[in-house]
Amino acid sequence: MNGDRPPLWLRRAPWAAAALTAAILAWELAVLRPGYGVGDETQQIRQILSLEGGAPIPWLWARGSLQRVGLWLWLELCGNGLRRLHVPGPAVVGLEAVLLWRLARRWFSEEAACWAVLADLLCAATWMRARSVLSYTWLPMELTALALLSARVRGRWGALLWGAAAGILALDYEGALAALPGLFIACAWREPGFRARAVLAATALGATLAVLAAAHPGVLRAYVGLRLAVNLGGGVPVVGALGHNLLQLLVGGRPMPYLGVDGWPAVALWSLPFIAAGALGCGRDRAAGVALWAATAVLATQTATAPWGVPAHRLAAAWPTLCLLAGTGGARVRARLGSVPAAVWLAFLALGVSAEANAYFRHMAFHGRELYGRSEDLARACGDARRAESSGAGVSTALLETRSRDVRFFLGPRPESRPGAGLWVFLPPEFHEACAGVPARVGVYRVSPRDVPVLVLVVHGPTARRFSGIEGSLRPLLDSDGAGSERAWLARGGDPWARAAVLDRYLRRLWRGLPFTPGLLHLALAAPFLTPGPPDLLARYLTSRDPRLAERLVDAALTLDPGWGPALGDRVAILRAEGRPAAAEAAARARDAGLAAGAWRTYD
């Protein structure tokens, strides 16, 4: 490839792209949507809280351990907070761009490096990844760093250390396992010193993976079982799933909304011709190893047949090599079109980044509140509770912690209060209707109808003492976190509000292996339902097993709270399972109308 220095506008373009990306992320994370998402991101917060509570660091196969520990150490240094939580993501993406520029310049040319960084930074998928708190955010940076380090492998110890470092990536995001074979090929292809020691590096890599697998064989078995179920068990042939996913990655599919941009390609739309040109010219540009890395990583990550959407986030395993191909392709295309003036290229990039920004902010306008609104509302509620706590009020979080411990990211319990100061009780949203019968001030933190609401009671006198007692009775159960202790608690009985929360928590274990038995059903029906959560969970589980009983249970849930969003949705599935399409369509219209009118959502 031509090694001449690129024109001035192209040399400055990566700096402009970095400034624009920094501005977009600062505006997004500091002003518009500083929250973390529901689902996996909330689970990440819970695991960080476990580390903050003194739990041992879980060095587990393909579980994001490295990134989680890094995030935990950062929060230990700076303190918990939504905006502080998001600092490492953009910082890692910035480091990724620097490393990518150095790698592309070393392997190809300075012009290829400029185009590679532009393809990395001027991309809606990169912005989405930078705001995530999940481990796939770090993978492109980690892989790029390993590729650069391969240039420093000169002797035996360098090769052994490189192989061990590559193997340790198995402790982080699972996409590393798909990327490592191609990364190894690309490094051996491009770096003569590494190629001479490739056997030693491969031996160290294999030995490290073997040690990690032997340390936790149960985790490895569970991971292999999950991958087989997702990649081969979805009822769709692997070739069909691969073709469908690749098409969706190119034209825009429906990934999970906190993992990708809805209806938009998984790489920058403007970079697609450059990636194609880089792949077609890989032989002449000595980029065949990079192309093999791209091919193996894409094939390994896009055969999933899971029902939860296109696995666009798993393309992180191939991200550095796709950017490298865009770099070589961009240099090749510009060389072919040498007479095109700089103004045209700049206009092309401006249109490209405008399309990426439009896709990103359109996605956030539609999904942002339902994804990130709850954590922002929770932070606001906890801030108000902290201010009340400074005046002597108490705080009880145990009832909410039966559903999610992430409230502890902002606030810890302190059930004792000064006389007259009151007790702030944080509740799961399904207690919304039950609050009507309690002498208390009810606080609902909800900016948009699309938010998962945060529910708080402020109680005094005997009611405060009652909820302080609930806090004390639930704390040992929350600390033990086991199905046996929850069942024993339910059999023993307690305050009806505590029972409703524990029963909801216990029934959610049906999707994690808890067997459904007549005894479980008897335990659930032993007392009248207080909230719509438990009957709706039973109905959801029984939808395909006993749809008639499921319909009665979901009707019971909607009797308790006619605006309970999950039950409105479950009723549609139940009526379809009963073979009543007309009734299901009517129920779907009622669900959509209810959600549009502000029906209560949850984070199931």
Side-chain angles (χ1 to χ4, degrees):
M1 179 178 292
N2 186 1
D4 294 340
R5 204 168 191 208
L8 180 63
W9 68 265
L10 186 55
R11 297 200 305 273
R12 290 183 175 176
W15 292 98
L20 178 62
T21 298
I24 288 173
L25 292 175
W27 178 249
E28 170 74 13
L29 296 172
V31 180
L32 294 181
R33 283 167 286 267
Y36 54 83
V38 297
D40 291 339
E41 293 201 5
T42 299
Q43 179 62 25
Q44 177 81 309
I45 298 300
R46 296 174 197 160
Q47 293 174 339
I48 290 173
L49 287 171
S50 295
L51 294 175
E52 290 181 354
I57 296 174
W59 300 114
L60 300 177
W61 182 280
R63 295 291 181 87
S65 299
L66 301 179
Q67 183 263 357
R68 186 175 303 117
V69 169
L71 199 53
W72 164 62
L73 291 174
W74 165 255
L75 293 172
E76 285 289 296
L77 178 66
C78 299
N80 291 351
L82 289 181
R83 290 170 178 84
R84 289 188 290 274
L85 173 69
H86 286 295
V87 170
V92 165
V93 168
L95 177 59
E96 166 193 318
V98 172
L99 296 176
L100 183 64
W101 188 86
R102 292 189 60 187
L103 180 65
R105 187 180 65 166
R106 175 178 176 81
W107 282 6
F108 302 110
S109 68
E110 186 176 354
E111 177 160 353
C114 293
W115 286 112
V117 171
L118 291 173
D120 183 31
L121 294 180
L122 300 183
C123 179
T126 297
W127 306 334
M128 196 76 199
R129 178 163 53 88
R131 71 150 299 132
S132 177
V133 298
L134 300 178
S135 59
Y136 82 105
T137 300
W138 289 29
L139 182 60
M141 180 274 292
E142 294 166 333
L143 296 173
T144 308
L146 276 176
L148 268 175
L149 288 174
S150 69
R152 296 185 175 273
V153 173
R154 293 288 185 270
R156 179 183 309 167
W157 287 107
L160 293 174
L161 289 172
W162 190 96
I168 288 172
L169 282 190
L171 296 173
D172 220 11
Y173 177 58
E174 62 171 343
L177 299 172
L180 286 176
L183 171 66
F184 191 93
I185 292 171
C187 293
W189 200 286
R190 295 295 312 187
E191 300 293 347
F194 182 85
R195 185 162 58 246
R197 301 287 182 174
V199 174
L200 271 178
T203 302
L205 172 60
T208 304
L209 293 176
V211 169
L212 295 177
H216 299 281
V219 174
L220 178 60
R221 283 196 299 271
Y223 172 76
V224 172
L226 175 65
R227 282 295 115 220
L228 290 176
V230 170
N231 287 56
L232 303 177
V236 179
V238 170
V239 175
L242 178 63
H244 173 267
N245 288 343
L246 291 179
L247 179 63
Q248 297 296 299
L249 291 176
L250 291 174
V251 303
R254 293 186 64 86
M256 294 190 76
Y258 55 88
L259 294 176
V261 177
D262 201 8
W264 196 250
V267 296
L269 178 63
W270 66 265
S271 71
L272 284 173
F274 294 162
I275 294 174
L280 292 174
C282 64
R284 283 169 291 181
D285 296 333
R286 296 181 299 136
V290 172
L292 283 172
W293 177 5
T296 55
V298 170
L299 290 174
T301 58
Q302 300 304 314
T303 56
T305 58
W308 48 74
V310 178
H313 63 290
R314 302 188 76 210
L315 210 61
W319 192 258
T321 183
L322 293 174
C323 292
L324 290 173
L325 289 176
T328 61
R332 178 171 292 280
V333 169
R334 201 189 68 82
R336 289 285 184 91
L337 304 176
S339 61
V340 175
V344 175
W345 285 109
L346 291 173
F348 168 75
L349 288 174
L351 288 173
V353 73
S354 298
E356 296 297 312
N358 177 68
Y360 177 82
F361 286 109
R362 183 190 64 213
H363 175 85
M364 286 299 180
F366 187 78
H367 293 289
R369 290 309 307 179
E370 69 183 46
L371 290 176
Y372 310 110
R374 175 187 170 273
S375 60
E376 296 166 18
D377 294 337
L378 184 60
R380 192 159 53 94
C382 290
D384 290 346
R386 274 195 303 272
R387 284 187 285 274
E389 192 177 25
S390 66
S391 301
V395 175
S396 172
T397 60
L399 285 167
L400 180 55
E401 286 185 62
T402 60
R403 286 287 278 109
S404 176
R405 289 192 64 230
D406 65 321
V407 63
R408 300 288 292 272
F409 187 72
F410 308 100
L411 185 70
R414 193 180 68 85
E416 302 81 14
S417 60
R418 286 209 310 255
L423 178 70
W424 285 57
V425 183
F426 285 77
L427 298 171
E430 54 264 29
F431 282 84
H432 166 58
E433 290 293 330
C435 291
V438 177
R441 176 165 62 88
V442 180
V444 178
Y445 291 80
R446 189 186 198 190
V447 172
S448 162
R450 299 183 70 84
D451 289 10
V452 175
V454 175
L455 184 62
V456 180
L457 284 183
V458 182
V459 294
H460 297 80
T463 308
R465 289 192 291 274
R466 174 192 173 191
F467 281 101
S468 292
I470 290 175
E471 175 79 27
S473 70
L474 290 181
R475 188 55 56 190
L477 180 142
L478 293 170
D479 292 339
S480 64
D481 190 26
S485 58
E486 291 164 9
R487 185 178 182 89
W489 194 101
L490 290 168
R492 187 170 62 250
D495 188 279
W497 282 53
R499 184 184 188 280
V502 174
L503 180 59
D504 188 283
R505 179 184 178 92
Y506 183 64
L507 292 177
R508 290 178 187 278
R509 295 184 183 273
L510 287 168
W511 286 269
R512 289 182 283 159
L514 181 70
F516 184 86
T517 63
L520 182 145
L521 188 60
H522 175 76
L523 184 66
L525 300 176
F529 293 119
L530 177 70
T531 66
D536 182 44
L537 289 170
L538 285 170
R540 190 180 308 161
Y541 186 79
L542 293 171
T543 295
S544 60
R545 297 167 176 84
D546 190 343
R548 291 184 181 277
L549 177 57
E551 184 180 3
R552 291 199 294 273
L553 287 165
V554 82
D555 287 344
L558 290 171
T559 300
L560 290 165
D561 186 350
W564 185 238
L568 291 172
D570 290 331
R571 196 167 193 278
V572 177
I574 291 167
L575 292 171
R576 285 175 179 158
E578 287 186 296
R580 299 164 59 189
E585 288 300 318
R589 289 193 293 272
R591 174 202 62 200
D592 295 341
L595 292 175
W600 278 54
R601 301 168 184 263
T602 187
Y603 35 91
D604 290 332

